[in-house]
Amino acid sequence: MALINTPFLKVVNDEIQNKIDKKVNQFQAINRDKKLINLSSGDVIRPLAPCVMEAMHKAIAEMGDETTFQGRGPVEGYPFLIDAILKYNFKNYKIKIAPDEVFINHGTKENLAGFGDILCRDNRIAVIDPVSQEYIESNVIGNRAGDLNENLQWSHIVYLECKKENDFMPEFPKLRPDIIYMSYPNNPTGCVMTREILEKWVQYALKNDILILFDATYKSFVTNPEIPQTIYEIKDAKKVAIEFRSFSKNAGFTGLNCGYAIIPKTLSGYSYIADKGANLNALWRRRLMIKNYTPPYIIQRGAEALFSQAGLKWVRENVDYYMSNAAILRQALTDAGLKFWGGVNSPYIWVESPYDSSWKLFDKLLNDCYILSSPGERFGPHGRGFVRLSSFANQSKVIMAGTRIASMK
Ligand SMILES: *Cc1c(COP(=O)(O)O)cnc(C)c1O
């Protein structure tokens, strides 16, 4: 019999999702005529930009003609997309990113999870909490998370508790980690790091020789110029950080899967056993050759179109649509007298449950407002007591949801 990956067994069963499904089924059984408004989604709903469609149609035609046909693309992505990215990004910062520091990928989720392949099992990994659980679970599946203790925490993971008293900003851990996972604007709390706070973390990483894996999936939702959109706005961040970016949320690419990572050539790792260092950019390139193909030519041409004048304008409007949803929800929550964070510079709103558990607020939203939310537990142990609302929904539904929330008792 094939032996299976034992640590993985501990995360195979998604008990929280099972509990949500059960509650939703119960609701639907009692309320057959009621339609739920889904404000729990981490997926977008608006269609692709016309310029993206046009570029992809053109690319399909090229694929069908022998003179313009494209076979397998370069593993790190097509130069036309890398050039477009560099032309419109990082221009206003003091740092320079070289084309061979950009890796086009199938999205942040897959890329961040796969990155563990080139890292040792013995790293101490710090993860902000609450946060997307994939950061932890991808380390579990790669057998890099250690053992699960009685508090349901993994021995190689340092949970950086983000408390409401600190507006959900983490504090430096007691034990020095080797790697830190961070994500700002944050999913689920909707909180953003100020330049000053991000500077402190970059300084801490420089001083302690720590690698920061920075998930900047929501960077386009930042409108306040005081809030960094990229970790590379901070001096010397290139010496400590890899940044992951995605077209998923700002440009509706969740059905196309395309994003990119910046892996500076200045980053190295070390092997005690081999007693030598290695360049992370080179290691990752080699890893891609073993496990990955670049995203399809058609999709990369679609992504390139996002950097045209029409594309840039469209992305702005798309993000504005979701942010006006967030504003509607914020107003409704204020009217209902609920305490919340986020919804500014971020599509997510993190609502404190006025009851003794997140589930009670989840139930009230479900049964009184016909709204599906996400209980905070879904995002880690320190998510307890909160629910997340998402602005990735149709605006007419959000307006309806807002009216119901505002009159919630
Ligand atoms: C949605 C989401 C992702 C997914 O990005 P893809 O590029 O679609 O894989 C990554 N990180 C966070 C924090 C997200 O919320």
Side-chain angles (χ1 to χ4, degrees):
M1 202 184 287
L3 300 174
I4 53 171
N5 183 347
T6 307
F8 181 49
L9 285 181
K10 302 249 167 84
V11 295
V12 145
N13 194 10
D14 190 344
E15 279 164 31
I16 294 165
Q17 190 57 49
N18 296 346
K19 191 164 165 181
I20 295 171
D21 292 344
K22 205 168 136 199
K23 284 175 182 286
V24 170
N25 290 340
Q26 270 168 357
F27 171 87
Q28 290 295 2
I30 302 167
N31 306 284
R32 282 177 197 285
D33 56 329
K34 302 244 159 59
K35 265 200 126 47
L36 270 184
I37 298 176
N38 184 1
L39 299 184
S40 76
S41 183
D43 195 358
V44 294
I45 54 129
R46 304 231 308 151
L48 294 170
C51 63
V52 169
M53 299 301 294
E54 208 177 292
M56 292 200 300
H57 276 300
K58 187 163 165 269
I60 290 170
E62 285 175 327
M63 296 293 279
D65 180 335
E66 193 171 348
T67 60
T68 48
F69 169 78
Q70 297 286 332
R72 249 197 249 308
V75 75
E76 67 280 358
Y78 285 97
F80 61 77
L81 181 52
I82 293 172
D83 289 348
I85 287 166
L86 290 180
K87 194 165 164 213
Y88 286 98
N89 286 276
F90 312 108
K91 289 192 89 166
N92 304 329
Y93 317 130
K94 292 191 185 80
I95 56 125
K96 261 192 117 60
I97 304 285
D100 58 357
E101 293 177 313
V102 182
F103 292 84
I104 309 299
N105 61 35
H106 296 261
T108 297
K109 181 177 179 138
E110 185 192 68
N111 205 231
L112 244 174
F115 199 78
D117 278 1
I118 65 168
L119 301 169
C120 174
R121 284 185 186 169
D122 300 337
N123 284 306
R124 188 180 297 125
I125 303 162
V127 181
I128 54 171
D129 186 78
V131 83
S132 296
Q133 291 304 285
E134 286 92 349
Y135 302 160
I136 293 169
E137 290 169 358
S138 62
N139 279 296
V140 172
I141 203 171
N143 200 5
R144 292 180 302 274
D147 304 313
L148 192 63
N149 69 23
E150 64 279 6
N151 301 323
L152 298 179
Q153 301 197 350
W154 294 88
S155 58
H156 289 188
I157 308 277
V158 180
Y159 295 75
L160 301 177
E161 180 181 0
C162 298
K163 299 190 196 120
K164 65 174 181 181
E165 293 78 14
N166 290 339
D167 283 328
F168 298 98
M169 291 299 119
E171 288 168 39
F172 298 135
K174 289 194 191 78
L175 286 171
R176 171 206 161 274
D178 302 290
I179 299 165
I180 303 177
Y181 285 76
M182 277 189 179
S183 170
Y184 292 99
N186 182 255
N187 176 11
T189 65
C191 292
V192 288
M193 268 195 172
T194 60
R195 185 161 285 122
E196 196 188 354
I197 295 175
L198 194 52
E199 257 163 19
K200 276 192 204 158
W201 280 92
V202 169
Q203 284 305 321
Y204 173 75
L206 281 162
K207 197 167 133 233
N208 292 286
D209 204 5
I210 296 166
L211 174 66
I212 298 179
L213 301 177
F214 195 80
D215 181 346
T217 291
Y218 295 100
K219 72 168 196 70
S220 308
F221 292 81
V222 173
T223 47
N224 180 346
E226 297 302 312
I227 308 293
Q229 285 202 9
T230 160
I231 195 166
Y232 302 123
E233 284 185 48
I234 309 299
K235 188 171 172 284
D236 288 337
K238 255 188 107 172
K239 294 182 185 160
V240 291
I242 294 176
E243 184 165 286
F244 299 87
R245 294 162 158 227
S246 171
F247 302 116
S248 282
K249 311 293 164 67
N250 62 357
F253 267 49
T254 46
L256 297 178
N257 293 329
C258 192
Y260 56 102
I262 310 295
I263 309 184
K265 284 179 285 186
T266 33
L267 294 174
S268 292
Y270 189 75
S271 164
Y272 283 105
I273 296 164
D275 191 22
K276 65 186 204 184
N279 185 280
L280 294 184
N281 178 296
L283 287 182
W284 182 245
R285 195 175 301 274
R286 185 71 187 96
R287 147 67 175 71
L288 282 179
M289 289 162 74
I290 297 167
K291 278 200 181 180
N292 282 83
Y293 297 127
T294 195
Y297 174 74
I298 299 160
I299 288 171
Q300 293 193 50
R301 280 293 184 198
E304 180 195 21
L306 293 169
F307 297 99
S308 64
Q309 282 311 315
L312 292 167
K313 181 164 172 280
W314 185 92
V315 166
R316 198 61 260 151
E317 287 165 3
N318 190 45
V319 167
D320 287 349
Y321 177 94
Y322 292 125
M323 290 315 292
S324 54
N325 283 350
I328 294 165
L329 294 174
R330 284 171 56 88
Q331 184 58 53
L333 291 163
T334 305
D335 293 346
L338 288 163
K339 197 160 167 43
F340 60 88
W341 287 259
V344 182
N345 301 302
S346 157
Y348 297 118
I349 303 179
W350 191 235
V351 190
E352 186 174 25
S353 170
Y355 315 107
D356 57 5
S357 95
S358 359
W359 289 105
K360 281 208 184 137
L361 180 57
F362 174 92
D363 287 340
K364 241 183 127 45
L365 286 166
L366 182 67
N367 298 312
D368 298 359
C369 306
Y370 319 140
I371 291 170
L372 183 59
S373 61
S374 301
E377 280 85 347
R378 243 178 93 168
F379 307 98
H382 298 109
R384 248 175 243 133
F386 296 85
V387 305
R388 187 194 73 176
L389 295 182
S390 160
S391 19
F392 294 135
N394 178 282
Q395 198 148 90
S396 60
K397 288 187 186 154
V398 170
I399 291 170
M400 212 189 309
T403 310
R404 291 184 198 150
I405 291 171
S407 55
M408 213 164 94
K409 300 240 158 40

